[in-house]
Amino acid sequence: MPDNFGDGFPKVLNQAIHDYWPDIRLNITRIDCPLNHRASYPGKNFPALNIVDILVDNLNIPSLTEPLQALLVASQNLESLRISFLRHPFVSRVGKLPAVRKLVLGPMIWDYTPAESLSIWDFSLLEAFYVQLETLANLAPILEIYGLARLTRLTVAFVWSGRSHGEDTDAVHHMESTLLLRQIIEKVPHHQLQELDIKCCLSGLPIASLSCHGDSLRTVSLLDVSGFETDGLDAVTISVPDLQILLKTCTQLASLSLAVDFDGFQVSFPQVDGRKPIQTLRAHTSGHRTTAAILWIFCLDVENLRT
């Protein structure tokens, strides 16, 4: 939001949009929260019904969330809401956010009761969802209600701190999030998901859960939250049998990024026939031997290989 909108959106421009460009689609590339009730706010007088995309980045200290939420509530034609950072949660008394098709939730504390979640958020139209693994388990009540029946793209992100930080004290919570992730994938209408970019506890996510979207998946990225060889130690990886299942059942894959455990692999695996070539393959391995094994075992026609 331009700095010269500090006193609010110009009323003359608002009126011009209303009179001459009622169907204009507005994208707000960045908006913050005001410092307090007395502070000027660029969202004031904004033609909210024309907003289709907005990025929230709450950098102000202190900050007041309610004016931002009021703008979002009024933006009933909003299609994409991206929250890079939000210091304080939204509140029920201001109103319910519009149902968007794309929702990005950056690092944030999901400080809502189940009742508050349902009174503030609406996931009924979500087609693309980006969320942190740490947040996912807290969304169980609202996801159970809405079910993400329209979802086609799902990203579950995780920032790995490295083993130098000691034992993963959030391991139980990460597994809870992974089990919920499995439920989400399996409950989405089968053969609907097109893109999955997931960092989770792979031991809690069977490859069979992905196979139920085998006719639609085009992009898959799977990594375990414990990291992979960054510190010289092996993390949980996908086994060769799981990789076989993935490639046999997901025949539309164009991009694949994963960690594969080829420890003790044999050279007698059957090739996978009748599938389209994978255009991009990213294998998180420690050497060219395992990469070559992928190509040899599965006879992949890979146009862009990264290791």
Side-chain angles (χ1 to χ4, degrees), residues 84-99:
S84 177
F85 183 66
L86 189 66
R87 295 187 183 279
H88 306 291
F90 297 127
V91 292
S92 300
R93 67 176 180 274
V94 178
K96 192 168 190 172
L97 305 182

Side-chain angles (χ1 to χ4, degrees), residues 61-256:
I61 302 176
S63 61
L64 190 67
T65 305
E66 285 86 343
L68 167 66
Q69 184 179 350
L71 175 63
L72 294 176
V73 170
S75 303
Q76 289 300 306
N77 295 315
L78 192 65
E79 298 174 2
S80 173
L81 173 59
R82 295 167 291 145
I83 301 180
S84 177
F85 183 66
L86 189 66
R87 295 187 183 279
H88 306 291
F90 297 127
V91 292
S92 300
R93 67 176 180 274
V94 178
K96 192 168 190 172
L97 305 182
V100 295
R101 295 193 322 207
K102 177 181 179 180
L103 178 61
V104 176
L105 297 179
M108 61 185 297
I109 298 175
W110 190 263
D111 194 16
Y112 303 100
T113 66
E116 288 171 337
S117 294
L118 292 174
S119 67
I120 296 171
W121 300 87
D122 187 344
F123 288 5
S124 60
L125 300 182
L126 268 188
E127 298 174 7
F129 189 26
Y130 178 105
V131 63
Q132 300 287 320
L133 181 68
E134 295 88 340
T135 305
L136 191 59
N138 300 322
L139 302 181
I142 191 170
L143 293 177
E144 184 175 351
I145 296 295
Y146 290 114
L148 301 182
R150 297 170 177 251
L151 197 68
T152 60
R153 294 187 294 157
L154 176 61
T155 297
V156 179
F158 179 80
V159 178
W160 186 59
S161 58
R163 295 183 188 272
S164 60
H165 289 257
E167 184 179 355
D168 182 6
T169 56
D170 295 323
V172 173
H173 184 71
H174 292 159
M175 181 56 76
E176 291 174 352
S177 293
T178 299
L179 295 178
L180 177 61
L181 170 63
R182 175 182 176 182
Q183 293 179 26
I184 293 171
I185 293 174
E186 293 178 353
K187 287 183 178 180
V188 169
H190 288 187
H191 307 295
Q192 177 174 292
L193 287 174
Q194 298 175 15
E195 298 180 17
L196 283 176
D197 185 351
I198 294 172
K199 294 177 178 62
C200 65
C201 298
L202 289 181
S203 59
L205 182 66
I207 290 298
S209 298
L210 277 62
S211 298
C212 63
H213 297 281
D215 292 345
S216 56
L217 276 174
R218 292 187 53 79
T219 300
V220 171
S221 177
L222 293 175
L223 287 176
D224 192 82
V225 293
S226 59
F228 186 71
E229 295 186 352
T230 303
D231 56 3
L233 300 175
D234 291 335
V236 178
T237 62
I238 296 175
S239 66
V240 168
D242 278 347
L243 179 57
Q244 285 184 296
I245 294 173
L246 182 66
L247 292 174
K248 285 181 178 179
T249 57
C250 300
T251 57
Q252 304 302 312
L253 281 179
S255 178
L256 179 61

